[in-house]
């Protein structure tokens, strides 16, 4: 389906449309990595990891089998199209949230469009670290509501394992992250009760030094950080600072979004949150007095899967019938940048 045509004079007619989730899908790589596997590679223990993070296992790509950000993104979008009973040619645009593109050029989204057989539609990589998927949902909503597009695939895919060091030097980060992809398809609908209720997108570039991946030994290490060849192309994180930031920001941005929507925490059926640390998630759950079922946690099985984290949760929740049409659902994320944001929907 081609984008909505411009009316004479070149101005797009903004339609009165709702936006709905037409389908979801996800993909995990083939290689499970349990805490006990990591014990063999570095000085750590299953007990330490579970106590500090809630993670028991995660999956990482096996590159010898051709697994990568692109392959996971392709599989997840194929699954979402099947779920939506749509063909690749029905899509108008692809937004691929990733911070682990195959290369800096071309955008991985272009190869994704080609892999699934979507022809020459627009395809963009969105880089907002762990917030990429939530930011992209908000952007896709705006593009559909404006009348420019009718069917947009929003995909989150990351393979951060390529920037991790599975030994003692990287033990504070390699235990946290896993690889995955998740996809959803947003479509215009005549039912105007469906769509975005409220949203937030924030960043604080002053805090970039708390979570970064240096590309160059000479230029990318901030003052006070010891530069070395071993750290180049490896995740650098101030875990304690990020933890503190996350606990406060997470609750703050949820409250701001509820206030903007004129809702209470209980009015939202499900909180689909970025999985960074089980302690951060349970702190938010306690802060809003939510029962266990209303803020989903799967970090124990998959770790922190960066931009794939939120759509992977959504796919699991949809498949198990816990998220369905008619509900109010809030998506929440934070991450490198530093960035944080929400997307609150009437499904
Ligand atoms: N196994 C065992 N010990 C480890 C370890 C590991 N895998 N990683 C670090 N340690 C050690 C540290 O070296 C330190 O030892 P020291 O006291 O002798 O120096 C000790 O454990 C405590 O380290 P610290 O970093 O203070 O632990 P912590 O309680 O803050 O937990 C994190 C570390 C990373 C789990 C935690 O800070 C966290 O989750 N932060 C948020 C990270 C995040 O969410 N990032 C993604 C954002 S999208």
């Amino acid at each position: 389906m081609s984008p909505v045509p411009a009316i004479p004079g070149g101005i797009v007619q903004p339609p009165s449309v709702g936006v709905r989730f037409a389908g979801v899908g996800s993909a995990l790589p083939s290689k499970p990595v349990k805490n006990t596997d990591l014990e063999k590679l570095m000085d750590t223990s299953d007990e330490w990891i579970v106590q500090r993070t809630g993670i028991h296992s995660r999956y990482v790509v096996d590159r010898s089998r051709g697994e990568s950000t692109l392959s996971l993104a392709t599989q997840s979008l194929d699954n979402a199209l099947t779920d939506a009973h749509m063909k690749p040619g029905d899509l108008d645009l692809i937004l691929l949230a990733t911070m682990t593109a195959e290369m800096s050029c071309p955008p991985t989204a272009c190869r994704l469009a080609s892999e699934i057989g979507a022809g020459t539609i627009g395809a963009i990589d969105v880089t907002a670290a762990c917030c990429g998927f939530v930011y992209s949902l908000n952007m896709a909503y705006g593009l559909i509501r404006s009348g420019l597009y009718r069917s947009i695939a929003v995909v989150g895919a990351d393979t951060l394992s390529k920037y991790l060091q599975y030994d003692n030097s990287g033990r504070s980060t390699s235990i946290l992250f896993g690889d995955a992809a998740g996809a959803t398809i947003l479509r215009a609908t005549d039912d105007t009760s469906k769509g975005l209720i409220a949203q937030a997108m924030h960043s604080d570039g002053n805090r970039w030094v708390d979570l970064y991946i240096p590309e160059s030994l000479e230029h990318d290490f901030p003052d006070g950080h010891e530069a070395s060849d071993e750290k180049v192309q490896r995740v650098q994180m101030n875990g304690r600072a990020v933890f503190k930031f996350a606990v406060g920001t997470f609750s703050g941005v949820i409250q701001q979004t509820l206030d903007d929507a004129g809702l209470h925490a209980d009015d939202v059926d499900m909180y689909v949150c970025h999985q960074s640390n089980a302690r951060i998630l349970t702190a938010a759950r306690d802060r809003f007095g939510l029962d266990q079922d209303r803020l989903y946690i799967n970090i124990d099985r998959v770790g922190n899967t960066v931009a794939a984290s939120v759509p992977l949760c959504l796919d699991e929740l949809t498949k198990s019938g816990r998220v369905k049409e008619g509900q109010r659902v809030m998506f929440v994320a934070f991450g490198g940048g530093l960035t944080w944001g929400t997307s609150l929907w009437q499904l």
Side-chain angles (χ1 to χ4, degrees):
M1 190 184 295
S2 57
V4 174
I7 60 166
I11 299 163
V12 171
Q13 178 81 62
S16 178
V17 292
V19 181
R20 68 185 180 94
F21 283 72
V24 287
S26 65
L28 286 168
S30 63
K31 210 160 86 182
V33 178
K34 295 192 167 57
N35 292 348
T36 44
D37 298 320
L38 295 175
E39 283 175 352
K40 294 172 194 141
L41 303 171
M42 59 189 80
D43 294 332
T44 192
S45 67
D46 177 48
E47 192 192 0
W48 192 95
I49 300 171
V50 172
Q51 195 197 22
R52 307 282 171 128
T53 69
I55 301 168
H56 292 263
S57 189
R58 73 287 291 144
Y59 294 83
V60 301
V61 288
D62 183 345
R63 294 199 183 266
S64 70
R65 297 174 71 161
E67 293 175 346
S68 67
T69 297
L70 177 61
S71 78
L72 294 176
T74 304
Q75 204 184 323
S76 71
L77 184 49
D78 269 337
N79 292 340
L81 283 165
T82 303
D83 187 45
H85 306 290
M86 286 169 67
K87 293 192 264 325
D90 296 332
L91 293 174
D92 301 332
L93 181 71
I94 295 178
L95 301 182
L96 171 60
T98 185
M99 58 177 271
T100 51
E102 298 289 324
M103 311 172 202
S104 358
C105 183
T108 303
C110 302
R111 294 174 67 187
L112 173 59
S114 187
E115 286 284 323
I116 63 157
T120 58
I121 60 170
I124 311 160
D125 284 2
V126 176
T127 302
C130 298
C131 275
F133 180 81
V134 172
Y135 271 35
S136 297
L137 281 183
N138 294 337
M139 293 191 287
Y141 174 79
L143 288 168
I144 294 174
R145 281 283 295 158
S146 70
L148 283 172
Y149 293 89
R150 291 189 65 83
S151 299
I152 302 181
V154 182
V155 184
D158 268 305
T159 52
L160 202 68
S161 59
K162 72 175 166 186
Y163 295 122
L164 299 171
Q165 193 71 31
Y166 291 94
D167 61 21
N168 279 342
S169 68
R171 68 176 181 164
S172 60
T173 50
S174 55
I175 56 148
L176 289 174
F177 296 98
D179 301 335
T184 187
I185 296 162
L186 298 184
R187 294 200 96 175
T189 168
D190 292 338
D191 182 350
T192 51
S193 70
K194 295 186 192 310
L196 195 73
I197 303 168
Q199 62 86 44
M201 298 198 278
H202 294 286
S203 74
D204 182 358
N206 284 320
R207 301 280 309 270
W208 74 272
V209 297
D210 289 333
L211 186 48
Y212 65 104
I213 303 174
E215 296 283 336
S216 141
L217 182 64
E218 289 79 25
H219 306 295
D220 291 346
F221 287 89
D223 290 345
H225 290 219
E226 195 187 320
S228 74
D229 274 328
E230 294 70 39
K231 290 181 180 172
V232 172
Q233 297 256 312
R234 294 287 175 261
V235 174
Q236 306 299 311
M237 183 179 74
N238 182 341
R240 278 184 199 181
V242 174
F243 189 91
K244 213 171 142 197
F245 155 81
V247 170
T249 311
F250 216 60
S251 298
V253 77
I254 290 174
Q255 188 60 59
Q256 178 204 334
T257 309
L258 290 171
D259 291 347
D260 289 348
L263 296 173
H264 293 109
D266 276 351
D267 298 328
V268 174
D269 297 293
M270 185 64 76
Y271 292 82
V272 185
C273 302
H274 175 55
Q275 308 283 308
S276 59
N277 185 314
R279 289 189 290 151
I280 294 171
L281 294 165
T282 48
R285 200 152 66 183
D286 294 347
R287 154 81 176 74
F288 291 101
L290 300 171
D291 61 48
Q292 208 164 331
D293 284 348
R294 221 184 273 211
L295 193 154
Y296 188 59
I297 298 182
N298 70 357
I299 192 172
D300 51 320
R301 289 179 283 114
V302 297
N304 176 345
T305 58
V306 193
S309 174
V310 169
L312 180 58
C313 289
L314 177 64
D315 190 40
E316 292 182 2
L317 284 163
T318 308
K319 297 281 180 320
S320 63
R322 290 173 62 189
V323 161
K324 42 185 177 285
E325 204 178 332
Q327 289 181 333
R328 279 196 201 107
V329 173
M330 192 189 296
F331 303 96
V332 192
F334 68 91
L338 298 175
T339 49
W340 61 104
T342 58
S343 194
L344 172 60
W345 285 75
Q346 177 66 54
L347 298 187

